[in-house]
């Protein structure tokens, strides 16, 4: 049998599974205790400390409208310094791994940016680029039949 005690910092706070999946609710350093009981009732216990980091967050700034053939500026801000960014799809994107880049899509498209921190934790957000076909093809708003 296994008895995990996550020090009250996780959900669930305890588990009797051999390999539990838990979610820590707050960043910090925690002592995790595992007590194992074998088939004849002998127990053994160990305590290890784990460090839980803040979850990363990323924000893709504002949906935008461009004229056909125009360029949109894609901006992502992240909560973790030194994290990496990836824009998907990378179609029509100048720099797929930059927090600030440009894109020139020929049609409406949603770009998703993913931030990955040094621990492999990730966060995503999306931004939509709308393409204005009417302005892009130069449709006149007035004309004179005599000219």
């Amino acid at each position: 049998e296994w008895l995990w005690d996550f020090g009250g910092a996780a959900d669930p706070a305890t588990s009797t599974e051999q390999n539990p999946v838990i979610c820590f609710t707050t960043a910090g350093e925690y002592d995790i205790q595992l007590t194992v009981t074998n088939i004849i009732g002998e127990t053994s216990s160990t305590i290890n400390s784990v460090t839980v980091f803040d979850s990363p967050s990323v924000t893709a700034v504002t949906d935008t409208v461009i004229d056909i053939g125009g360029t949109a500026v894609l901006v992502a801000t992240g909560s973790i310094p030194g994290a990496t960014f990836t824009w998907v799809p990378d179609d029509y994107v100048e720099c797929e791994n930059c927090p600030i880049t440009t894109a020139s899509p020929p049609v409406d498209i949603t770009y998703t940016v993913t931030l990955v921190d040094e621990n492999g934790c990730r966060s995503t957000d999306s931004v939509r680029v709308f393409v204005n076909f009417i302005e892009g093809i130069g449709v006149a708003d007035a004309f004179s039949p005599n000219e």
Side-chain angles (χ1 to χ4, degrees):
E1 297 177 353
W2 297 268
L3 177 59
W4 292 89
D5 182 341
F6 302 110
D11 185 21
T14 62
S15 177
T16 56
E17 295 178 27
Q18 181 179 4
N19 297 303
V21 175
I22 54 127
C23 180
F24 285 89
T25 54
T26 307
E29 184 141 336
Y30 300 98
D31 291 330
I32 309 302
Q33 181 174 8
L34 171 61
T35 302
V36 180
T37 304
N38 69 14
I39 197 163
I40 60 172
E42 299 170 324
T43 63
S44 180
S45 185
T46 186
I47 296 175
N48 283 324
S49 292
V50 297
T51 301
V52 177
F53 297 100
D54 285 323
S55 295
S57 65
V58 66
T59 301
V61 179
T62 316
D63 293 347
T64 190
V65 178
I66 62 170
D67 290 337
I68 194 166
T71 300
V73 177
L74 304 178
V75 178
T77 57
S79 63
I80 308 292
T84 59
F85 295 85
T86 306
W87 291 95
V88 175
D90 61 0
D91 303 339
Y92 318 107
V93 174
E94 182 180 322
C95 176
E96 68 183 85
N97 300 114
C98 299
I100 300 173
T101 188
T102 58
S104 301
V107 295
D108 295 353
I109 191 168
T110 299
Y111 289 105
T112 299
V113 63
T114 300
L115 175 142
V116 180
D117 72 10
E118 64 187 15
N119 302 304
C121 297
R122 59 186 61 234
S123 179
T124 61
D125 196 15
S126 296
V127 64
R128 184 105 171 127
V129 177
F130 297 95
V131 179
N132 181 353
F133 291 96
I134 295 173
E135 288 292 322
I137 59 174
V139 175
D141 56 6
F143 70 96
S144 171
N146 294 332
E147 292 183 25

